[in-house]
Amino acid sequence: MFYYLNGTVAEIDINFAVVDCNGVGYGVNTTANTLSKLKKGEKAKLYICESIREDAFELYGFSTVQEKRCFEMLLTVSGIGPKAAQSILSASTPEGLALAIMNGNEKVITAAQGVGKKIAQRVILELKDKISKEAGSTAAGMPEMLTPADNGTRSDAIAALMVLGYSAPEINSVLRGVDVTGLSTEQIVKLVLKNMM
């Protein structure tokens, strides 16, 4: 199993890069967001998700763990394969996608090439329900974290961070000492992600 590749970017193409690791070139499918951070001839570290089928063994690489987690979360949605997940994450940042799911904003998801309204609705329905159930199951253990405050922005931010693959304890440990009064959901998400880095 590959966790990440750390090497020199040898080639860049549309949604694809080749990373040279000690003389071996690994072809990696990736998103527009990750490609924008890569430069040919420079060092890069990509977090890897493998896709193995009868006729293919493909690597999907991401510049951040958040993007990788979001990709893996999208793959849990029925009807979403690696190419569709890659397309969705090319049209939006992980944070933007998480907020779109929590707010039911289909337009962010349908902006992805080859993704229609039905798939967008399924992504929102399945992932929002999944996060709501996870948040509900942890509410008893962490009431101070999941109590709606500031018109629900704190709760929405927690749910969005859970879409990105963070656990309730991880989020709680960062939020415990942070004042989020008056911040928007997006600002809270960015603040938490910054503190987790």
Side-chain angles (χ1 to χ4, degrees), residues 2-3 11-12 19 30 69 75 89 96 129 135 140 149 160 168 173 177:
F2 292 96
Y3 185 74
E11 299 291 335
I12 294 177
V19 181
T30 190
R69 285 178 172 175
L75 293 180
L89 283 170
D129 281 355
S173 67

Side-chain angles (χ1 to χ4, degrees), residues 14-185:
I14 299 169
N15 297 329
F16 190 80
V18 176
V19 181
D20 184 316
C21 299
N22 296 320
V24 178
Y26 293 91
V28 182
N29 296 290
T30 190
T31 64
N33 294 317
T34 291
L35 277 178
S36 69
K37 296 172 186 169
L38 302 180
K39 288 187 180 168
K40 192 173 176 180
E42 291 188 6
K43 287 274 188 188
K45 180 178 184 178
L46 296 180
Y47 295 93
I48 299 297
C49 190
E50 300 166 326
S51 173
I52 302 169
R53 301 190 313 267
E54 280 183 26
D55 58 342
F57 174 67
E58 295 180 313
L59 301 178
Y60 288 82
F62 309 95
S63 60
T64 65
V65 174
Q66 291 85 14
E67 194 173 31
K68 179 184 182 235
R69 285 178 172 175
C70 214
F71 179 81
E72 290 169 339
M73 184 79 80
L74 283 167
L75 293 180
T76 68
V77 177
S78 57
I80 297 281
K83 293 292 182 190
Q86 177 187 8
S87 180
I88 291 168
L89 283 170
S90 284
S92 177
T93 63
E95 298 86 3
L97 177 62
L99 291 170
I101 289 166
M102 296 318 301
N103 297 326
N105 186 350
E106 296 171 15
K107 288 182 181 177
V108 171
I109 301 168
T110 56
Q113 187 176 358
V115 177
K117 191 171 181 177
K118 284 185 179 178
I119 291 177
Q121 288 171 339
R122 195 178 308 138
V123 167
I124 290 167
L125 178 71
E126 290 188 27
L127 293 185
K128 195 171 185 177
D129 281 355
K130 184 176 184 177
I131 297 310
S132 297
K133 285 174 189 169
E134 284 181 27
S137 69
T138 58
M142 292 174 217
E144 78 284 357
M145 183 186 90
L146 294 161
T147 300
D150 302 321
N151 298 323
T153 54
R154 182 182 172 100
S155 299
D156 287 347
I158 290 164
L161 287 159
M162 290 177 84
V163 169
L164 293 174
Y166 290 102
S167 68
E170 285 176 310
I171 299 164
N172 191 37
S173 67
V174 174
L175 278 178
R176 194 170 280 133
V178 178
D179 180 18
V180 295
T181 309
L183 297 179
S184 69
T185 302

